[in-house]
Amino acid sequence: MQIDWSQFTPWTALAGGLLIGLGASLWALCNGRIAGISGLIASLLERQSDGLAEKAVFLGGLLVAPLVWSLWAPLPAFNLPVAEILLIPAGLLVGVGTRYASGCTSGHAVCGLARLSLRSLVATLCFMASAVGTLYVIRHVLGG
């Protein structure tokens, strides 16, 4: 494995991880709920859900944060190695998977593992195994 040292950004990665942990901790302390992004989005779609405004502000912060960051530093360039049309079924499959797992990576991996939840550990291991399998298929079977 080769590390592209010009693209290696440990301090920004550390800052991002700390901000994610801080945001999830503050959400749990203030609301007594897990900051699972798929659950927050799902509750925005329900008309009878409590705290719609604060959930919308929290999720809006996730969208605005990269724009604020770009005021101080450029956002990293990325290359999407698949056709854009594949993003729609991929997103739908992720949504189905989060429903089967009763939560997403943010809920299980960030919040659940911090609470030492065995269910979250199993879910996170499944997420990681399917990510490794998908990468293997794309790189070695499909030749991407």
Side-chain angles (χ1 to χ4, degrees), residues 91-111:
L92 291 172
L93 286 173
V94 168
V96 168
T98 60
R99 292 317 255 176
Y100 278 119
S102 297
C104 58
T105 53
S106 56
H108 284 300
V110 175
C111 301

Side-chain angles (χ1 to χ4, degrees), residues 8-143:
F8 183 59
T9 57
W11 297 115
T12 54
L14 177 63
L18 290 173
L19 287 172
I20 289 170
L22 178 65
S25 298
L26 285 174
W27 185 263
L29 286 172
C30 294
N31 295 301
R33 307 265 316 161
I34 298 298
I37 304 308
S38 64
L40 289 171
I41 291 172
S43 69
L44 283 178
L45 301 176
E46 298 171 1
R47 300 222 185 253
Q48 306 300 329
S49 180
D50 292 333
L52 287 176
E54 64 187 8
K55 292 173 185 176
V57 169
F58 185 86
L59 292 169
L62 295 176
L63 299 173
V64 171
L67 300 174
V68 172
W69 175 260
S70 69
L71 296 174
W72 287 277
L75 295 175
F78 67 93
N79 180 18
L80 195 59
V82 298
E84 288 83 6
I85 193 71
L86 293 177
L87 293 178
I88 294 169
L92 291 172
L93 286 173
V94 168
V96 168
T98 60
R99 292 317 255 176
Y100 278 119
S102 297
C104 58
T105 53
S106 56
H108 284 300
V110 175
C111 301
L113 291 180
R115 294 182 308 113
L116 302 177
S117 167
L118 180 60
R119 184 173 141 234
S120 290
L121 175 63
V122 171
T124 302
L125 290 173
C126 290
F127 295 151
M128 296 304 293
S130 58
V132 169
T134 300
L135 183 63
Y136 180 83
V137 168
I138 289 172
R139 292 248 172 111
H140 299 287
V141 176
L142 301 176

